[in-house]
Amino acid sequence: MKFRDMREYLALLESDGQLKRSSIPLDVSRDNKDMQPLMRHLHNDNNIALILENLQGYNTPDVPLIFNPFGTRERTSMTIGIRDPLEAKVEHARVLADSNTWIEPEIIDKSDAPCREVIIKGDDVRLDKQIPHVWFGKEGPAYITNGIGVTKDPETGKRNVGWYRTALLWDAFNPAGEEYPEGYDQRYMAVYAYWNPPMNHIGNHLFKSSLQNKPLEVAFACSCDPAVHLAAATGLPYGQDEYAFAGGLRGAPVELVKCETVDLEVPATAEYVLEGELYYDDQVAIGWHSNVAGYYDRIHRIPVMKINCITHRKDPMWHATIEMVPPFDHNYIGMVPVEGEVLADLQRKIPEVKDIVVTPSMLYIVQLSVDGARKPHAEFGKYIIHAVWGASGRWARTAKIVVVVGPDVDPYDLASVEWAIMTRVQPVSDTIMNPHGQAFVDDPSAPMTEFGFPAVSEQMGIDATIKVPERFDEYREVSQADPDDVARIAELLKPVLG
Ligand SMILES: Cc1cc2nc3c(=O)[nH]c(=O)nc-3n(C[C@H](O)[C@H](O)[C@H](O)COP(=O)(O)O)c2cc1C
């Protein structure tokens, strides 16, 4: 199943009872006390998605707000038309591993592109009036978290599409106590493009453009078909096209339209598009920023983009989300691509790898299809740990803790993983300590660099497989009820237990 746009996906969630509309007044202005608590409440409770239609302190009151659309593993799987999370992960990994299954995008005429229904150019651009500003609480600026950034390599012309956050400067608190330059609140936004740690492909393009003394042309397309977002959050090898990968995921080409002012292409059914130029040498202080590890970053210095054109639908919608103590809305649409990246790579090399789970706090758990005497060799668990650290994709090398378990341990159930660690691991013999791994960008426990991010982190691998035959001739039998018997007893006692 393929969605034409975000709206078709939302319609499916609504018909499925997973999305509701609310006109209860909620505050979205800076320092509000409504939006972050709402995210926490949904994730503590039934976790549905919402469309919020009565927002206070909102600069674009006619634009409804999409809230928590990706908040579960199931909903993230539904972005590619599959309900079962394991099936969706395997499909993501299958398409990723085989670029023959990718489908090239198609360019359609501008007159057929919904994202071109309204066009605002040059001096008419007013970000404070034309782009929704939503705060979740203590953050300095209102962030755009629904945009995929499109750029081309200045040397090769090859395209990159990545899901990157940007920061709007209107009514923004400056964490360094500086003033943003005059007019930046109307025409500029800051972009999380990094050419230093933690690096991303838009950052590579920006660095190359600086060597040519040119700004980098950029377009951000906001709220597209969710399969395009899933593809844009996947770390493809440098130079490969996320639109073609998205085509493979959705089984049909992504329809693109040419931009108005830059030589780039964006999904035709996006809700909003911002076009402009990104400057390597012009950076501003941004913060506070609530990050994926669940802590605030105080100050980031990141480059600014001048907006030369905004296009949008006649009746646009806006999606805003926050990173905070997990879980939160886009945790899974951020993690499933990482699981797919590692699974696609490892299964090609090591067929005994059955599943990989990256938890919302980014513990990596690898489940094998064999254990004990059926493992290929005594060091197999440790071999898997090294394979994760060397896997392709952007994040696996930053896995701070990797746990390897056998097929009888449920990698989605942390109690089961804990049981395996406590009953199958000798802490000195069955672990690997790596003093010089790559740090995860938001880990507050790793030493900070001058760039405002950690570069190096200690890492640990835990081999929680059964040490037969290398340490024991046989392992004790597990004392656990058979699941079929549990179901039978549950049925039998229903009159009493309900
Ligand atoms: C909602 C959301 C926001 C994200 N924001 C950023 C960001 O600001 N900067 C970044 O480097 N990665 C961000 N990511 C992760 C990237 O999308 C992901 O690593 C992707 O593979 C980057 O593409 P690239 O490898 O082509 O650079 C975000 C992911 C999601 C789901």
Side-chain angles (χ1 to χ4, degrees):
M1 174 178 190
K2 60 178 188 300
F3 300 104
R4 180 161 187 261
D5 54 16
M6 183 65 78
R7 293 167 188 222
E8 282 193 4
Y9 168 72
L10 297 176
L12 176 67
L13 296 185
E14 194 163 15
S15 67
D16 206 42
Q18 296 203 50
L19 179 145
K20 290 199 164 44
R21 285 163 198 272
S22 166
S23 55
I24 294 169
L26 289 168
D27 186 3
V28 298
S29 62
R30 183 142 67 81
D31 294 326
N32 76 72
K33 294 207 179 323
D34 288 352
M35 301 306 274
Q36 189 172 24
L38 176 60
M39 183 70 81
R40 186 72 297 136
H41 173 62
L42 291 177
H43 282 260
N44 288 343
D45 197 35
N46 64 0
N47 213 349
I48 60 166
L50 294 171
I51 291 184
L52 305 176
E53 293 172 321
N54 182 10
L55 300 178
Q56 317 289 301
Y58 190 34
N59 65 328
T60 51
D62 296 335
V63 180
L65 187 68
I66 308 164
F67 197 91
N68 199 33
F70 306 121
T72 63
R73 268 189 183 272
E74 186 192 12
R75 288 212 289 279
T76 296
S77 308
M78 287 166 74
T79 62
I80 51 170
I82 299 175
R83 273 176 194 266
D84 178 66
L86 185 53
E87 252 178 65
K89 186 194 309 190
V90 169
E91 175 64 3
H92 178 274
R94 183 189 70 79
V95 177
L96 182 58
D98 182 4
S99 57
N100 291 321
T101 62
W102 300 10
I103 301 174
E104 288 299 319
E106 279 174 10
I107 306 274
I108 67 162
D109 198 79
K110 285 184 185 178
S111 56
D112 296 326
C115 71
R116 286 282 178 280
E117 284 166 358
V118 176
I119 300 177
I120 306 156
K121 280 189 184 162
D123 290 341
D124 292 334
V125 168
R126 291 282 309 265
L127 291 172
D128 63 330
K129 300 266 184 304
Q130 295 146 357
I131 293 294
H133 283 58
V134 175
W135 279 263
F136 278 74
K138 272 197 207 165
E139 327 86 86
Y143 291 98
I144 298 183
T145 39
N146 61 2
I148 54 164
V150 188
T151 52
K152 284 184 182 159
D153 182 310
E155 284 169 356
T156 66
K158 286 198 173 167
R159 180 166 51 210
N160 181 65
V161 186
W163 195 343
Y164 309 115
R165 185 174 304 97
T166 71
L168 296 159
L169 301 177
W170 174 70
D171 201 19
F173 164 77
N174 188 313
E178 300 158 357
E179 293 284 318
Y180 293 119
E182 179 147 2
Y184 273 37
D185 55 343
Q186 308 299 333
R187 289 287 297 272
Y188 289 76
M189 65 181 184
V191 177
Y192 280 73
Y194 315 112
W195 51 96
N196 292 316
M199 299 187 289
N200 50 23
H201 289 165
I202 189 174
N204 295 131
H205 288 185
L206 183 59
F207 183 69
K208 284 190 174 191
S209 73
S210 78
L211 298 178
Q212 298 179 355
N213 291 315
K214 288 195 302 203
L216 180 71
E217 292 194 331
V218 189
F220 275 89
C222 302
S223 293
C224 314
D225 161 11
V228 173
H229 284 271
L230 188 70
T234 305
L236 301 191
Y238 186 76
Q240 294 191 355
D241 184 14
E242 283 82 0
Y243 285 148
F245 172 53
L249 287 175
R250 66 199 293 277
V254 178
E255 291 191 342
L256 301 178
V257 62
K258 286 198 171 297
C259 286
E260 293 290 315
T261 58
V262 286
D263 180 23
L264 295 166
E265 306 78 24
V266 286
T269 59
E271 295 291 327
Y272 283 85
V273 178
L274 296 101
E275 302 177 6
E277 293 177 333
L278 187 58
Y279 303 103
Y280 177 82
D281 287 325
D282 191 358
Q283 296 178 34
V284 291
I286 292 294
W288 296 10
H289 170 247
S290 177
N291 71 29
V292 74
Y295 291 85
Y296 285 106
D297 303 309
R298 291 292 174 93
I299 303 182
H300 284 150
R301 287 202 182 265
I302 53 174
V304 292
M305 167 179 170
K306 184 173 189 189
I307 314 294
N308 293 323
C309 181
I310 295 174
T311 78
H312 62 81
R313 292 181 175 224
K314 266 197 208 111
D315 55 345
M317 303 179 80
W318 189 253
H319 169 219
T321 176
I322 186 180
E323 293 170 351
M324 56 190 286
V325 173
F328 47 82
D329 173 19
H330 59 281
N331 246 166
Y332 296 111
I333 203 160
M335 290 304 114
V336 169
V338 180
E339 293 172 345
E341 285 161 25
V342 185
L343 202 58
D345 186 12
L346 262 55
Q347 282 188 332
R348 266 185 292 190
K349 305 173 191 161
I350 314 168
E352 293 84 0
V353 170
K354 186 174 170 201
D355 195 2
I356 291 172
V357 172
V358 182
T359 68
S361 291
M362 273 168 285
L363 173 68
Y364 285 59
I365 305 155
V366 183
Q367 188 195 36
L368 302 177
S369 60
V370 293
D371 203 352
R374 293 188 56 224
K375 288 181 308 194
H377 55 84
E379 300 301 320
F380 195 60
K382 289 180 178 155
Y383 169 76
I384 299 290
I385 293 161
H386 283 293
V388 171
W389 286 331
S392 64
R394 185 171 171 209
W395 300 112
R397 68 188 83 112
T398 71
K400 185 157 91 173
I401 301 184
V402 181
V403 186
V404 182
V405 297
D408 64 334
V409 177
D410 179 357
Y412 297 89
D413 176 4
L414 287 180
S416 180
V417 175
E418 179 197 19
W419 171 75
I421 293 173
M422 297 311 291
T423 63
R424 295 176 180 180
V425 174
Q426 281 295 293
V428 177
S429 307
D430 299 334
T431 56
I432 302 175
M433 296 294 171
N434 174 13
H436 298 295
Q438 184 179 322
F440 177 69
V441 42
D442 292 329
D443 184 351
S445 74
M448 196 57 91
T449 65
E450 70 202 89
F451 306 120
F453 299 100
V456 173
S457 170
E458 295 173 13
Q459 296 178 323
M460 176 166 65
I462 304 175
D463 173 6
T465 60
I466 293 172
K467 310 303 176 311
V468 171
E470 59 272 20
R471 193 174 300 150
F472 304 100
D473 294 336
E474 59 177 2
Y475 219 60
R476 298 213 205 148
E477 192 172 330
V478 174
S479 169
Q480 180 59 296
D482 183 304
D484 291 342
D485 291 337
V486 176
R488 180 181 52 77
I489 289 292
E491 197 56 39
L492 185 70
L493 266 79
K494 239 188 191 157
V496 178
L497 301 177

